[in-house]
Amino acid sequence: MATTTVSPPAATTNDHGNHAHHRAWPGRPYPLGATWDGRGVNFAIYSENATRVELCLFDTVDSTTESRRVDLPEQTDQVWHVYLPDCRPGQIYGYRFHGPYEPAKGHRFNPNKIVLDPYSKEIARGVRWADELFGYKVGDPQADLSFDERDNAASAALASVIDSAFTWGDDKFPLTPLHETVIYELHVKGFTKRHPDIPEELRGTYGGIGCEASIRHLQSLGITAVELLPVHHHVDERHLVERGLCNYWGYNTLAFLAPDVRYKSADFGNTVHQFKTMVRNLHAAGIEVILDVVYNHTAEGNQLGPTLSFRGIDNAAYYRLSPESPRHYMDFTGCGNTFHMQNPRVLQLIMDSLRYWVTEMHVDGFRFDLASTLARVLHSVDKLGAFFDIIHQDPILSQVKLIAEPWDLGDGGYQVGNFPMGWSEWNGKYRDCVRRFWKGDGGVIDEFATRLCGSSDLYGWNNRRPHASVNFVTCHDGFSLRDLVSYDHKHNEANGEENRDGSDNNMSWNCGAEGPTNDTNINALRARKQRNFLATVLLSQGCPMILAGDEIGHTQNGNNNAYCQDNEISWLNWELSDDQKSLLKFVQDILAFWHEQPTLQRRRFFHDRATRGTSVKDIQWFNAAGAEMADSEWKVGFARSLGWLLRGEHIDVSDQGEALSGDTLLILFNADHAVEVGFVLPQCEGSDAWRLKFDTFDPRDTTPSNHAFGSAYKLRPCSVAILLAVKNTDPKLPA
């Protein structure tokens, strides 16, 4: 179809006759986006294949059409730009792009459609679903090959020009080393919505996360970093909205520089300032902010999706199209499209976004959703791709925390252990192995031991450190911890997809009853297993991650895919039972222990050889008889118990050159649900006895007790015991 042009609307001013507001100067191609310089606003936007670009200015968010259109006559290096000397912060705007509408060739320009600036920093109005948002005639027999001439100005997403000035005061990045980091994955709304100590007007908002009650809870746990589920502005899919649901998690991004307006409080300034205030408050408490970011795809979906931004700006430039059929998209994400990382301008957008969130918003790092997609060159994943090269040489981004979700849905997309130095990864193999071990599966103790030690098989081969492994058992995607021990099967009926969505491979066990039960024995076992999982994560070498709510036994009623549940299914309930309070106390205590123990925060892998200055190994493994594990014992299918000795002497040297040492620990695991193990306690050179610190079978029993070498410790079914080597036995302590 030939290029189409649109005449200006009848109303051509927003200045009530003041024609000085019509002034438009050439402007500059950089920076991209709408930039207020104190005198006027520069607008710049990239499009390689457009033939004409119009800036559309709106009076209010409820305007059904723009009050003025401004042609961008200047184009420099494929960037269209204009400077409006009379424009001010608060101006609402969008764009119209002219060019060919030829889906078979990958072009989908439609100037009847207002599109959102990819560099928007404040969203003035979100998408209002209507057929007019689609570039083609919805329901037409030719589907997306047709051309829709209806105007979408009343329903399109719009941006607002902002003044980014903010008083940071003495804000400082906490710069917590990764080996000393404890990550807490949370949803802004889900964490705060039902918290009784958060002011009502702040519940569900950035302000709620940054308020005293939230920070007090995080500090009581010993959390050093919150990892926020996506807070980039996103779109709720139409089919969800029409069913009364939404994309609660937010993995459907539309604007990579704009904080999601849904978490804004109505009474406390613009969204950007509210986000910055949250970060400033968390930093003041020593807590870092990590963002879960989605750069692998956008909210526009496949060829039948709406025209909201990138598709209408330059479809062929922003998306990876099928070489055989450019009408269709390459899809490595399962979301309909894949961002075109091979285009330097698209790569620039992502890098500009990342730098903006660090330099302007003061975040401390990123977790990259489906990160394997970002590394795909043609079809294969290339860990040395341009994306990684640019980040590694960037003086800003190379210094923040970089965490990959190391898989996508394409062939060869499972890349756990294959990301380059400087990156940490969600360790999916750790999650699966630990779940299998505590489920009671046999034949996994050899891998379990490797995972406890930081997964050197995955990360040691290319000189990475244990903190490359982000150790977790649960995350937002899947069962909560309580549901992991309460359900054999997913129960996603509330999602409206007849329970077909969500994973069927949960490696869970309901302990004898599906869902809630009054059976005291089953409930006691479930509580113990929750403690075991949390203890294992915090005792493992690497970077521990806890899902918000797991410390208080949050349940989603068996829903393992609550992505669309913006309600009590997902919101944390802070009215705690006695059992939940007991679990919270246990997590607080064991996290405090973790912070006290350099032995659990090693920067280097164990070597299974003599530590510096001693004649003993830095790590040893024992069977229940108190003897070191023989090679043949690691593959025994019935083995479900294991003893792990970690030497605390001469662990490392601090940044100040001081010798680091910690306690020598003996950690005993028994994954059998019925059998008690009389675990013979091994000798420990330089010590006199073992002192019990924790036993997950009954965490309420905190009476200190010493245990002699060679004695048998009663390691009860499905439990973990932690003992410290002590040099001076207190005769008053019971043996």
Side-chain angles (χ1 to χ4, degrees):
M1 184 167 183
T3 299
T4 305
T5 59
V6 177
S7 300
T12 58
T13 69
N14 62 349
D15 56 5
H16 305 287
N18 183 355
H19 291 278
H21 283 220
H22 283 194
R23 295 187 298 171
W25 301 344
R28 297 167 57 86
Y30 186 86
L32 290 160
T35 306
W36 161 248
D37 62 8
R39 296 174 298 177
V41 179
N42 190 80
F43 293 86
I45 190 165
Y46 158 75
S47 179
E48 179 179 345
N49 296 296
T51 58
R52 179 187 173 197
V53 179
E54 294 176 290
L55 172 66
C56 303
L57 304 180
F58 288 74
D59 288 342
T60 71
V61 296
D62 294 320
S63 298
T64 57
T65 188
E66 63 266 47
S67 56
R68 180 185 173 199
R69 296 186 192 177
V70 180
D71 265 299
L72 276 63
E74 298 290 332
Q75 183 187 161
T76 304
D77 298 331
Q78 300 173 342
V79 174
W80 301 73
H81 50 91
V82 70
Y83 184 88
L84 302 185
D86 303 298
C87 190
R88 297 292 181 266
Q91 176 63 61
I92 301 168
Y93 73 99
Y95 286 97
R96 295 183 188 271
F97 280 78
H98 299 255
Y101 187 86
E102 299 174 332
K105 296 181 179 179
H107 299 304
R108 295 178 180 271
F109 293 100
N110 187 335
N112 300 292
K113 311 302 175 183
I114 297 274
V115 292
L116 186 69
D117 181 1
Y119 278 78
S120 302
K121 297 181 176 68
E122 176 82 6
I123 303 301
R125 186 179 79 189
V127 167
R128 298 172 174 177
W129 281 111
D131 287 352
E132 289 80 4
L133 288 171
F134 294 79
Y136 62 93
K137 297 176 182 177
V138 175
D140 187 281
Q142 295 296 316
D144 64 303
L145 294 177
S146 62
F147 182 82
D148 186 74
E149 297 181 351
R150 289 175 296 179
D151 194 276
N152 74 339
S155 53
L158 301 173
S160 177
V161 177
I162 67 164
D163 181 351
S164 61
F166 181 78
T167 303
W168 281 104
D170 60 353
D171 181 69
K172 295 180 181 178
F173 292 87
L175 299 177
T176 307
L178 262 169
H179 68 283
E180 297 177 6
T181 295
V182 181
I183 297 173
Y184 187 77
E185 190 197 29
L186 64 82
H187 187 282
V188 171
K189 186 174 184 179
F191 182 82
T192 61
K193 183 62 177 178
R194 303 177 70 185
H195 201 300
D197 296 332
I198 294 176
E200 188 171 355
E201 66 272 16
L202 295 181
R203 295 175 190 171
T205 72
Y206 301 116
I209 295 293
C211 78
E212 180 183 355
S214 294
I215 291 175
R216 184 168 61 245
H217 178 75
L218 297 171
Q219 288 182 316
S220 76
L221 286 176
I223 298 303
T224 71
V226 292
E227 183 174 302
L228 306 182
L229 265 69
V231 295
H232 290 171
H233 178 72
H234 80 278
V235 175
D236 294 328
E237 292 90 331
R238 189 180 193 180
H239 70 91
L240 291 176
V241 174
E242 291 175 346
R243 286 158 42 204
L245 300 171
C246 70
N247 191 316
Y248 171 73
W249 288 347
Y251 290 91
N252 202 39
T253 305
L254 186 62
F256 297 110
L257 284 83
D260 202 320
V261 71
R262 74 164 63 186
Y263 308 129
K264 172 186 174 183
S265 172
D267 304 322
F268 297 95
N270 68 39
T271 317
V272 173
H273 286 188
Q274 291 188 29
F275 185 92
K276 290 180 177 180
T277 300
M278 174 194 70
V279 173
R280 184 179 62 191
N281 292 349
L282 289 168
H283 280 182
I287 299 171
E288 295 183 308
V289 179
I290 299 170
L291 300 188
D292 194 336
V293 290
V294 187
Y295 294 111
N296 52 76
H297 74 282
T298 80
E300 293 185 300
N302 63 18
Q303 73 275 8
L304 297 179
T307 296
L308 306 176
S309 181
F310 310 97
R311 174 172 285 134
I313 296 170
D314 198 334
N315 184 68
Y318 278 106
Y319 292 115
R320 296 192 65 176
L321 307 180
S322 169
E324 295 79 19
S325 176
R327 172 188 173 189
H328 299 96
Y329 297 81
M330 300 178 72
D331 181 11
F332 299 110
T333 67
C335 299
N337 62 60
T338 300
F339 228 27
H340 191 6
M341 294 288 295
Q342 289 69 44
N343 183 334
R345 286 293 188 180
V346 177
L347 194 56
Q348 177 190 359
L349 167 61
I350 295 175
M351 296 304 158
D352 285 348
S353 168
L354 292 169
R355 280 188 287 264
Y356 174 79
W357 286 97
V358 176
T359 59
E360 291 292 327
M361 309 294 260
H362 285 206
V363 306
D364 303 275
F366 305 94
R367 178 265 189 190
F368 293 82
D369 178 66
L370 300 181
S372 293
T373 298
L374 304 177
R376 287 187 180 273
V377 179
L378 294 176
H379 292 276
S380 62
V381 177
D382 179 6
K383 69 177 182 179
L384 298 178
F387 174 69
F388 298 108
D389 292 342
I390 292 175
I391 283 185
H392 288 166
Q393 61 80 38
D394 188 284
I396 295 171
L397 299 180
S398 63
Q399 300 306 306
V400 303
K401 290 179 170 64
L402 302 170
I403 302 171
E405 182 185 35
W407 49 78
D408 66 16
L409 300 185
D411 291 340
Y414 192 77
Q415 292 290 320
V416 173
N418 288 331
F419 277 70
M421 287 186 289
W423 285 75
S424 295
E425 303 174 18
W426 274 24
N427 191 343
K429 293 186 177 181
Y430 177 96
R431 173 200 60 205
D432 296 347
C433 178
V434 172
R435 286 188 178 193
R436 290 173 57 208
F437 178 80
W438 286 116
K439 182 172 174 283
D441 292 352
V444 298
I445 63 168
D446 54 342
E447 184 185 357
F448 182 66
T450 301
R451 302 292 161 246
L452 289 173
C453 292
S455 297
S456 60
D457 61 325
L458 300 176
Y459 307 111
W461 64 273
N462 63 348
N463 295 317
R464 296 163 77 187
R465 301 289 182 85
H467 59 245
S469 177
V470 175
N471 298 326
F472 70 105
V473 172
T474 56
C475 64
H476 68 277
D477 188 3
F479 281 144
S480 68
L481 184 60
R482 180 172 170 182
D483 289 355
L484 185 67
V485 301
S486 303
Y487 294 91
D488 279 355
H489 310 287
K490 65 186 182 184
H491 296 268
N492 299 352
E493 289 80 7
N495 296 354
E497 300 179 39
E498 300 180 351
N499 206 34
R500 294 190 301 266
D501 62 306
S503 175
D504 293 311
N505 183 28
N506 298 292
M507 289 164 281
S508 62
W509 180 47
N510 64 20
C511 297
E514 188 74 358
T517 178
N518 293 322
D519 189 304
T520 56
N521 291 328
I522 291 176
N523 286 330
L525 177 58
R526 289 175 176 175
R528 194 156 71 247
K529 286 170 71 67
Q530 289 175 76
R531 293 191 292 268
N532 291 344
F533 277 120
L534 289 163
T536 302
V537 169
L538 291 168
L539 295 170
S540 302
Q541 299 295 319
C543 179
M545 185 181 82
I546 298 171
L547 172 64
D550 279 355
E551 77 277 16
I552 58 173
H554 171 66
T555 178
Q556 296 180 166
N557 303 319
N559 193 320
N560 75 348
N561 188 35
Y563 78 102
C564 57
Q565 299 298 328
D566 186 6
N567 50 47
E568 287 80 1
I569 291 176
S570 298
W571 303 340
L572 302 190
N573 183 358
W574 295 96
E575 296 179 4
L576 307 183
S577 67
D578 289 341
D579 288 341
Q580 289 174 296
K581 291 176 182 177
S582 176
L583 177 60
L584 175 59
K585 178 65 165 56
F586 172 78
V587 178
Q588 291 170 332
D589 289 346
I590 199 166
L591 253 170
F593 176 73
W594 183 89
H595 281 288
E596 296 167 357
Q597 292 296 331
T599 311
L600 298 175
Q601 303 167 28
R602 296 174 63 100
R603 292 195 289 185
R604 293 174 174 81
F605 289 109
F606 295 105
H607 296 291
D608 193 23
R609 59 174 181 259
T611 58
R612 286 171 289 183
T614 73
S615 59
V616 296
K617 296 179 179 179
D618 59 0
I619 181 175
Q620 291 174 281
W621 301 98
F622 294 93
N623 59 26
E628 285 199 65
M629 292 278 289
D631 291 344
S632 59
E633 294 180 276
W634 288 107
K635 299 296 183 182
V636 175
F638 58 78
R640 289 173 175 79
S641 63
L642 186 67
W644 183 30
L645 191 153
L646 300 80
R647 300 294 303 200
E649 299 92 342
H650 311 294
I651 295 171
D652 210 337
V653 177
S654 72
D655 294 338
Q656 290 74 37
E658 302 170 342
L660 289 178
S661 294
D663 290 314
T664 293
L665 307 177
L666 179 63
I667 305 171
L668 308 178
F669 301 91
N670 181 11
D672 196 294
H673 295 101
V675 177
E676 178 181 287
V677 177
F679 212 106
V680 177
L681 301 179
Q683 296 279 339
C684 182
E685 182 179 297
S687 302
D688 300 318
W690 293 106
R691 180 170 296 172
L692 180 66
K693 184 65 177 179
F694 291 98
D695 189 326
T696 63
F697 192 90
D698 187 3
R700 295 169 297 179
D701 183 5
T702 57
T703 304
S705 58
N706 286 347
H707 300 265
F709 300 151
S711 64
Y713 181 83
K714 293 182 179 180
L715 187 60
R716 287 167 287 188
C718 196
S719 65
V720 180
I722 307 170
L723 302 98
L724 282 64
V726 291
K727 292 185 178 181
N728 298 308
T729 303
D730 186 342
K732 296 180 182 180
L733 292 177

